[in-house]
Amino acid sequence: MKKKFDENNLTIKQAAKVLGFHHDTLQYWEEKKLIPLPRRNPENNYRVYNATELKEIAVARGAYEVDIDNAILQLKINSQ
């Protein structure tokens, strides 16, 4: 069964796809404290992100050209 898309709780892989980086890059930045620590899903302790958090990461890492809202919409369309 396919998991329902939740734009307020994107996985690290989904977040990386939106930002245009590899998920290992996000983990590295997190370890080096270059980006804010992500929230965690209480059910499985996975990292989760929303659009606001992704925008903060984009600004912190200088990825100003990323259209977060449009990228999330595309991810949502492609997940259906």
Side-chain angles (χ1 to χ4, degrees):
M1 184 162 121
K2 196 170 190 177
K3 187 178 173 186
K4 187 176 185 242
F5 181 83
D6 181 358
E7 65 187 66
N8 290 313
N9 290 298
L10 298 174
T11 66
I12 192 167
K13 286 186 178 184
Q14 292 170 324
K17 187 170 190 162
V18 167
L19 290 167
F21 299 111
H22 193 274
H23 67 274
D24 288 342
T25 302
L26 290 177
Q27 288 177 323
Y28 175 80
W29 289 343
E30 178 188 329
E31 289 169 10
K32 298 297 181 182
K33 299 184 182 4
L34 299 172
I35 60 173
L37 291 176
R39 293 175 296 119
R40 295 286 184 152
N41 180 326
E43 294 176 11
N44 54 25
N45 205 35
Y46 290 174
R47 295 166 177 85
V48 290
Y49 305 84
N50 61 31
T52 301
E53 293 160 336
L54 294 183
K55 289 174 186 174
E56 289 174 11
I57 292 169
V59 168
R61 301 311 306 152
Y64 301 106
E65 71 281 355
V66 178
D67 183 351
I68 302 295
D69 296 322
N70 187 46
I72 290 174
L73 178 62
Q74 289 299 318
L75 190 63
K76 183 176 184 176
I77 290 168
N78 293 336
S79 71
Q80 294 177 352

